[in-house]
Amino acid sequence: MRHSITLVTITILLVTPCFGQQHLDSLWNVWEDKKQSNEIRVKALTEYAKKYNKTNADSSLFYAEKAYDFAYAKGLEEYKVKSKRVIWSVYYKKGDFDTANRINTEAFETAIQNGDSSSIALAYTRFGLVTNKKYEYDSTIVYYRKAIEVSKALNDKEQVANNLNNIGIVYIYKNDYPSAEACFEQCISLYEELGMNTTASSTNLALLKKRKGDLSMAIELFQKQLAYHEKNGDEASAATDHINIASLHYDLENKEQFLEHTYKALELNEKLNNKEGLAKVLANLGEASVKYKDQDKALEYLNRSLLISEEIGNKAFIGRALREIGKIQIHLKNYPEAYKNLSRSLTISEEINYTLGVAMAQRGMGLYYKAIGNTKQALAYFNKSLETSRNRFIAEVRDASFDLFQLYDSLGNDKLALESYKLYVSTNDSIQAIDNKRAIIGQEFKYEYEKKALKDSIYFESQREIQKATLEKTQNQRQTLFVILLIVLGFSGILFNRIRFIKKQKNTIEDQNQELNNLNENLEQKVEERTQKIVEVNNNLKVSDERYKYALDASNDGIWDWNVKSDTIKFSSAIYTMLGYAPYEFEESREEIYKRISDENQREVLKENHQKLMTEGNDKQLLDEYKMKKKDGDTIWIQVKGKIVERDTEGKPMRMVGTHIDITADKKRTQEMLEAVLKTENIERSRISRDIHDGLQQTLTIASLNFQTAKKELNKLGNNAKEKFELGWNYLQDSIKESRVVAHSLMPKAIIDFGVISAYESLIDQMDKSSESITFNFAHNFKQERIENQQIEITLYRILQESINNIIKYSKAENVSIQLKDYDEMYMLTIEDDGVGFDIQKLTEKNKGLGFQSMRNRLDAINGFLEIDSRIGRGTTILVEINKSM
């Protein structure tokens, strides 16, 4: 019998989720069936999205948006509204109240336009839900009252009751208990009038009794609720009842009853796959385990709660788990992890405007700084926690004031220590009075519990006596049967045949049992072998993970993991340390990285490229290089590599992982090499220029003088000789001119003798005279002709030379403006033309734009900056910046 019951229980547990999955599958099949009408299909998809709401917020949002897009395209107004309601619900549960309000505002405006009073009432209710989460209680009550007015006009008593229930909850938060109780009683009356279940409002009434200190009545109400829900098979509500009852027993120091109800809630939520309920129960167990001095269990429960909370996107639960884990890690002296978790908890609580969570996280940060010896920061956070809690959360006021008393006392600040201690004593007295009352009630419950246990044990003993008497009676009956069996021995012949048949069956059964035993032995052997393989695989994975960790530690490379779908990113601690920050000192987000990129223009380009990467389904991987500012103001070069590791069904990126590598040393080496090459090139150019000037030009000039003397005797020669002489003479003059131009091009004499301004004016004047179609304008603010660093002078000259050459060849420009400016920390050159422009992207393709690449190489050698802005039909602008410090 016992085995049968066990088998039935297991079957129910296995089949129940299957039925749920089958229902989901059937909804999806309806959506996929294009033979169905559009209305039936979108209805199925909307229901499909709602089913995911409790278990997977991201999936729910994805399918709800898909349903909305379909309804919008097909003009199905009813399902546009219904799918929007699901979308609102997801953002509300995730704590993104601004987005939830924006969606609700759109729904409200549409409802007013359509005269849809029911939707208007619902919109008012949802406005109230959001303002309630933001602790704007007066506004919340106004919205709920408006919803009641509209619902009364519609004679919708159910919605009137629902909003009365909501208002009652707000009055509890405002500590207006009489008003709260009146609302709940009206609500229960309306529900009973409608023949509806009153458990929700009864539950709130129980919570109110708890607030008022009437714990015995609160437990009694919750027990009634539990009995009702168990009778009706409502396991989800029963799980909530168990959580509420456990909470009361926790306050009453009834550990046994607390654990009994909490484990029952855990069992029910696991069975129902209610992840929100699981996260809450596990967090309760984690906090209780801290109280019961079992930190290992506490960390286990809290980490499980954190994992589930992150999966469903419940920020309030995430903040709670992180906060409690951080406090345990302070005790374990794992300070980096403690800081990381507590600071994240504080950020999340502030983000969702959860005031109690903010106060508790602030105190946690104070405990962290106190533990590491940073008294100043500890005082700051304890004071913040005190101010956040004042007139709101008495327990937090007590704890923060006591922390401040201890710190001020250790610093010898007697005045502030005394003030803090007075505040601690006053709040502690209030709490102590409540605790004393709870202790009395707890003793009463303990007495009742033990009394019930004794009653149960007495009942058990009486049942044992009854069973004993029954057994004796059975034995007497057996003796009587034995006598009867002796009487029927005469029928032994018939029985003998029957016995032989039974023996044969027995032998068959024994053979089958032996076969089963052999199979069990083989199964055990296979299980053992499989277990050994799993152990080996786990060991190998552990070694691999350790090797990977050591490799990362040795390389000091930063790792990032980007969830493209939700646009959230995780950083390893190395990303922070390479920028001079403490681990997780700034938020894990792309925006924080963009803020620290030195070049503003490059920052905007990167943002645009990354946005394209999020929306396009190509195979392009990430490879960027840019300068980033460190915490101390210095800059370093970072190379970012990334690879798409997960895509959605449409091929768009969902997840990307990659590295941050500090390549400053490589850049410096490259810069030094380029600088050395350019210096060598300039030296060689100068030498060749001198050789041409001092050698070849002198030789050619002497030859020209000799030929000039010979030219006087030309009349004595024949016509043919005269022609030959004239031809040679002309070639000689051209060679002298060309050698002068080549020497000047290799190393302009104006730069060597007079400096960059003179060289610029000479080159621009020469180009202005030689070109009839282009007008060159040059302006500068230099007070002296020369730049002390001749390498900068040569670089500026070569860039101008290359730019003018490109303008003459390709631009078809009419006007060119050249400006060379001397600022306090840098030199700036701008060259603008009004020509035809070009496509910069094509310029960067292989084997193109060699002139611009030459400019970049020269500027890289002296740590300069080059920006080219050009569009077809709109001319070109070249901007050069060179730091004087190089």
Side-chain angles (χ1 to χ4, degrees):
M1 182 67 180
R2 184 173 57 198
H3 295 306
S4 301
I5 293 171
T6 305
L7 182 60
V8 170
T9 304
I10 293 171
T11 304
I12 291 170
L13 289 172
L14 289 173
V15 170
T16 302
C18 295
F19 286 155
Q21 185 59 45
Q22 286 173 2
H23 183 55
L24 276 174
D25 291 343
S26 66
L27 287 172
W28 184 254
N29 290 337
V30 171
W31 160 249
E32 290 280 271
D33 186 2
K34 296 185 178 178
K35 294 178 181 179
Q36 299 282 356
S37 68
N38 290 334
E39 188 169 350
I40 291 174
R41 289 181 67 206
V42 74
K43 179 181 179 181
L45 186 58
T46 305
E47 287 297 316
Y48 191 77
K50 286 172 68 176
K51 294 292 183 184
Y52 268 112
N53 207 332
K54 283 189 176 181
T55 57
N56 191 320
D58 289 335
S59 296
S60 179
L61 180 61
F62 174 79
Y63 293 118
E65 287 177 339
K66 193 178 184 74
Y68 176 81
D69 291 340
F70 184 83
Y72 183 85
K74 303 299 181 182
L76 302 171
E77 294 298 324
E78 179 184 354
Y79 287 97
K80 278 172 61 179
V81 173
K82 288 184 176 181
S83 56
K84 271 289 185 182
R85 288 175 183 173
V86 180
I87 294 169
W88 177 90
S89 177
V90 173
Y91 282 113
Y92 174 77
K93 286 190 174 183
K94 291 176 76 170
D96 188 349
F97 301 129
D98 291 337
T99 304
N101 250 357
R102 178 178 55 77
I103 292 169
N104 195 41
T105 301
E106 293 171 2
F108 180 68
E109 290 171 352
T110 302
I112 289 175
Q113 290 172 4
N114 297 334
D116 184 355
S117 298
S118 178
S119 295
I120 291 171
L122 180 60
Y124 278 133
T125 300
R126 286 182 166 171
F127 282 133
L129 289 169
V130 171
T131 53
N132 184 42
K133 286 290 186 181
K134 293 182 174 183
Y135 304 100
E136 298 168 4
Y137 297 136
D138 292 336
S139 298
T140 302
I141 291 173
V142 169
Y143 282 125
Y144 288 152
R145 291 289 183 196
K146 287 183 177 180
I148 288 174
E149 287 175 16
V150 178
S151 299
K152 281 182 176 178
L154 293 169
N155 197 28
D156 188 345
K157 293 183 179 180
E158 182 180 349
Q159 288 304 316
V160 171
N162 290 342
N163 282 290
L164 281 168
N165 188 52
N166 292 337
I167 293 172
I169 294 170
V170 178
Y171 278 131
I172 289 178
Y173 295 148
K174 287 171 67 68
N175 297 322
D176 185 351
Y177 297 149
S179 297
E181 193 161 357
C183 285
F184 292 140
E185 287 173 354
Q186 289 180 57
C187 174
I188 292 169
S189 176
L190 280 171
Y191 281 150
E192 288 175 345
E193 181 184 335
L194 294 168
M196 294 177 60
N197 182 4
T198 64
T199 53
S201 48
S202 296
T203 299
N204 291 328
L205 187 59
L207 292 171
L208 175 61
K209 297 293 184 184
K210 176 185 175 183
R211 282 286 187 102
K212 293 171 71 174
D214 191 355
L215 300 186
S216 57
M217 179 57 73
I219 290 182
E220 185 179 335
L221 286 167
F222 279 133
Q223 291 284 15
K224 286 181 180 178
Q225 296 291 89
L226 177 60
Y228 175 85
H229 291 138
E230 286 179 339
K231 180 182 177 181
N232 289 279
D234 186 352
E235 293 181 323
S237 297
T240 303
D241 294 332
H242 280 295
I243 292 173
N244 289 326
I245 295 169
S247 173
L248 288 166
H249 283 299
Y250 182 79
D251 291 341
L252 293 168
E253 303 287 342
N254 296 334
K255 178 180 177 182
E256 187 176 347
Q257 290 93 320
F258 163 74
L259 291 175
E260 176 188 340
H261 287 283
T262 303
Y263 288 141
K264 187 63 180 175
L266 184 65
E267 177 189 336
L268 287 171
N269 282 308
E270 283 176 339
K271 178 182 176 182
L272 297 168
N273 195 28
N274 181 359
K275 294 186 178 180
E276 189 168 308
L278 279 172
K280 185 174 184 177
V281 175
L282 289 166
N284 291 348
L285 281 168
E287 291 184 17
S289 297
V290 173
K291 182 177 180 179
Y292 302 146
K293 310 298 184 186
D294 190 346
Q295 290 184 337
D296 291 338
K297 273 287 183 188
L299 279 175
E300 178 188 338
Y301 287 132
L302 289 167
N303 278 313
R304 284 177 63 192
S305 176
L306 176 61
L307 191 65
I308 295 170
S309 301
E310 287 179 331
E311 182 183 345
I312 62 177
N314 190 313
K315 292 186 177 181
F317 287 179
I318 293 170
R320 177 187 180 186
L322 287 169
R323 181 182 67 244
E324 296 306 318
I325 291 170
K327 286 160 67 176
I328 294 172
Q329 286 164 337
I330 292 173
H331 185 76
L332 297 174
K333 298 183 179 180
N334 186 355
Y335 298 131
E337 286 298 314
Y339 174 83
K340 172 185 173 183
N341 289 319
L342 287 166
S343 60
R344 277 191 66 199
S345 175
L346 179 57
T347 301
I348 289 169
S349 298
E350 289 173 339
E351 186 180 304
I352 63 175
N353 201 22
Y354 177 33
T355 310
L356 178 58
V358 171
M360 297 174 78
Q362 286 170 338
R363 179 171 179 259
M365 290 295 291
L367 293 172
Y368 161 76
Y369 280 112
K370 179 181 177 183
I372 65 171
N374 190 337
T375 307
K376 183 178 179 181
Q377 286 285 9
L379 284 172
Y381 275 105
F382 286 145
N383 275 305
K384 285 180 182 178
S385 178
L386 181 61
E387 288 307 311
T388 305
S389 308
R390 199 181 293 274
N391 300 324
R392 290 187 179 185
F393 314 116
I394 187 170
E396 288 305 311
V397 171
R398 176 197 61 184
D399 294 341
S401 60
F402 187 71
D403 292 326
L404 286 168
F405 158 68
Q406 287 183 318
L407 274 183
Y408 284 133
D409 186 54
S410 68
L411 294 171
N413 192 333
D414 296 336
K415 182 181 177 182
L416 291 177
L418 180 59
E419 288 178 6
S420 299
Y421 190 71
K422 284 180 180 178
L423 181 59
Y424 162 71
V425 170
S426 64
T427 52
N428 190 54
D429 286 346
S430 300
I431 293 172
Q432 194 64 47
I434 296 170
D435 288 343
N436 290 339
K437 186 175 180 181
R438 286 176 177 172
I440 293 168
I441 296 171
Q443 288 298 322
E444 292 174 357
F445 266 93
K446 188 174 182 182
Y447 170 74
E448 291 296 329
Y449 184 81
E450 289 173 352
K451 184 173 154 184
K452 183 178 181 299
L454 178 60
K455 183 179 177 181
D456 290 343
S457 66
I458 293 170
Y459 175 77
F460 177 73
E461 287 298 327
S462 66
Q463 289 296 314
R464 267 183 39 179
E465 290 298 325
I466 292 169
Q467 288 178 357
K468 185 177 179 182
T470 304
L471 183 60
E472 289 176 355
K473 184 178 179 181
T474 303
Q475 287 176 344
N476 291 333
Q477 289 174 343
R478 285 178 181 173
Q479 290 175 358
T480 304
L481 285 173
F482 181 71
V483 173
I484 295 171
L485 284 173
L486 290 174
I487 295 172
V488 297
L489 282 175
F491 299 99
S492 58
I494 299 170
L495 291 174
F496 179 73
N497 290 331
R498 183 64 179 168
I499 290 167
R500 285 182 63 189
F501 177 72
I502 290 170
K503 187 176 180 181
K504 185 177 179 182
Q505 280 188 327
K506 182 179 178 183
N507 290 335
T508 303
I509 291 169
E510 286 178 351
D511 291 340
Q512 290 176 345
N513 284 339
Q514 184 61 42
E515 186 177 350
L516 283 172
N517 289 335
N518 293 335
L519 286 171
N520 282 335
E521 289 176 2
N522 292 334
L523 180 61
E524 288 175 3
Q525 183 179 354
K526 288 180 180 179
V527 169
E528 187 176 349
E529 291 173 358
R530 182 63 176 165
T531 302
Q532 185 62 34
K533 287 182 180 179
I534 291 171
V535 170
E536 290 176 5
V537 170
N538 284 338
N539 288 337
N540 291 337
L541 283 172
K542 184 178 179 182
V543 171
S544 177
D545 287 344
E546 288 177 351
R547 190 182 300 118
Y548 178 64
K549 183 178 181 300
Y550 295 147
L552 283 178
D553 290 343
S555 66
N556 199 30
D557 291 345
I559 306 296
W560 50 268
D561 188 338
W562 180 19
N563 185 326
V564 181
K565 188 76 175 175
S566 62
D567 196 17
T568 56
I569 194 164
K570 299 287 185 184
F571 296 148
S572 69
S573 57
I575 289 180
Y576 292 88
T577 53
M578 73 171 61
L579 293 172
Y581 291 90
Y584 306 99
E585 188 173 342
F586 56 81
E587 184 184 356
E588 293 175 288
S589 69
R590 288 192 297 130
E591 198 58 41
E592 289 294 329
I593 293 296
Y594 294 144
K595 284 181 188 175
R596 289 163 176 80
I597 295 174
S598 302
D599 181 2
E600 186 175 347
N601 293 321
Q602 190 175 18
R603 184 186 311 157
E604 296 306 316
V605 171
L606 285 169
K607 283 184 180 180
E608 186 178 340
N609 291 342
H610 294 168
Q611 194 62 35
K612 286 181 180 177
L613 188 63
M614 291 172 70
T615 54
E616 295 176 359
N618 56 40
D619 293 327
K620 186 177 179 181
Q621 304 301 316
L622 198 63
L623 180 59
D624 296 322
E625 288 184 6
Y626 42 74
K627 280 185 179 180
M628 293 188 71
K629 289 181 182 177
K630 296 178 68 176
K631 187 176 181 179
D632 59 9
D634 289 344
T635 58
I636 59 172
W637 275 96
I638 296 291
Q639 183 185 69
V640 180
K641 292 182 179 179
K643 182 179 181 181
I644 298 169
V645 296
E646 189 176 349
R647 296 179 183 274
D648 62 16
T649 54
E650 297 176 358
K652 293 181 180 179
M654 291 182 65
R655 185 183 174 206
M656 177 176 280
V657 295
T659 58
H660 264 216
I661 304 171
D662 184 349
I663 59 170
T664 307
D666 294 340
K667 283 286 185 181
K668 189 174 181 181
R669 283 193 295 272
T670 303
Q671 181 181 336
E672 289 171 352
M673 289 171 62
L674 282 170
E675 190 174 354
V677 168
L678 290 174
K679 280 184 179 179
T680 305
E681 178 188 328
N682 289 332
I683 291 169
E684 190 63 18
R685 282 172 175 268
S686 182
R687 183 189 64 78
I688 295 171
S689 177
R690 284 196 307 272
D691 289 348
I692 292 173
H693 183 271
D694 297 340
L696 180 60
Q697 280 190 329
Q698 296 296 329
T699 303
L700 291 172
T701 302
I702 292 168
S704 176
L705 291 171
N706 287 321
F707 270 100
Q708 194 171 1
T709 303
K711 193 174 182 181
K712 297 175 181 177
E713 305 293 329
L714 279 179
N715 294 329
K716 300 177 181 179
L717 300 175
N719 289 332
N720 189 35
K722 285 181 182 179
E723 289 177 4
K724 295 285 185 182
F725 185 88
E726 286 292 339
L727 182 63
W729 172 260
N730 291 334
Y731 273 118
L732 178 58
Q733 298 306 313
D734 288 343
S735 297
I736 292 170
K737 289 179 184 177
E738 287 180 11
S739 65
R740 188 177 296 116
V741 170
V742 170
H744 182 77
S745 176
L746 286 168
M747 185 55 67
K749 185 174 178 59
I751 284 183
I752 303 301
D753 294 342
F754 306 110
V756 69
I757 301 301
S758 178
Y760 262 46
E761 289 173 341
S762 174
L763 178 60
I764 292 167
D765 184 57
Q766 180 183 344
M767 292 299 174
D768 205 18
K769 289 177 181 178
S770 62
S771 174
E772 296 180 359
S773 59
I774 303 176
T775 301
F776 291 89
N777 296 301
F778 174 53
H780 69 86
N781 68 342
F782 277 65
K783 295 178 181 178
Q784 53 189 16
E785 290 283 323
R786 301 207 67 102
I787 295 174
E788 290 183 6
N789 190 322
Q790 193 177 78
Q791 182 70 20
I792 293 178
E793 287 190 318
I794 294 170
T795 300
L796 287 169
Y797 183 82
R798 294 298 178 202
I799 289 172
L800 178 65
Q801 202 174 34
E802 182 67 41
S803 300
I804 290 177
N805 184 42
N806 288 337
I807 289 168
I808 291 172
K809 283 184 179 180
Y810 309 115
S811 75
K812 299 180 182 178
E814 295 180 1
N815 297 285
V816 178
S817 174
I818 302 162
Q819 295 187 22
L820 184 61
K821 301 292 183 180
D822 179 6
Y823 296 114
D824 290 340
E825 296 180 354
M826 69 176 178
Y827 301 109
M828 180 186 289
L829 169 64
T830 55
I831 305 169
E832 297 178 83
D833 70 61
D834 59 359
V836 296
F838 57 88
D839 188 337
I840 294 176
Q841 188 172 355
K842 289 183 179 179
L843 183 74
T844 58
E845 292 176 4
K846 191 175 180 182
N847 296 327
K848 291 188 178 182
L850 297 179
F852 288 122
Q853 189 57 48
S854 173
M855 292 183 195
R856 291 190 189 278
N857 289 340
R858 288 182 178 278
L859 287 166
D860 284 345
I862 57 173
N863 200 21
F865 169 79
L866 173 67
E867 181 181 348
I868 303 166
D869 181 21
S870 183
R871 295 183 184 180
I872 294 175
R874 297 189 184 180
T876 302
T877 299
I878 295 173
L879 173 67
V880 174
E881 294 177 357
I882 300 174
N883 256 324
K884 290 183 178 180
S885 60
M886 287 180 57

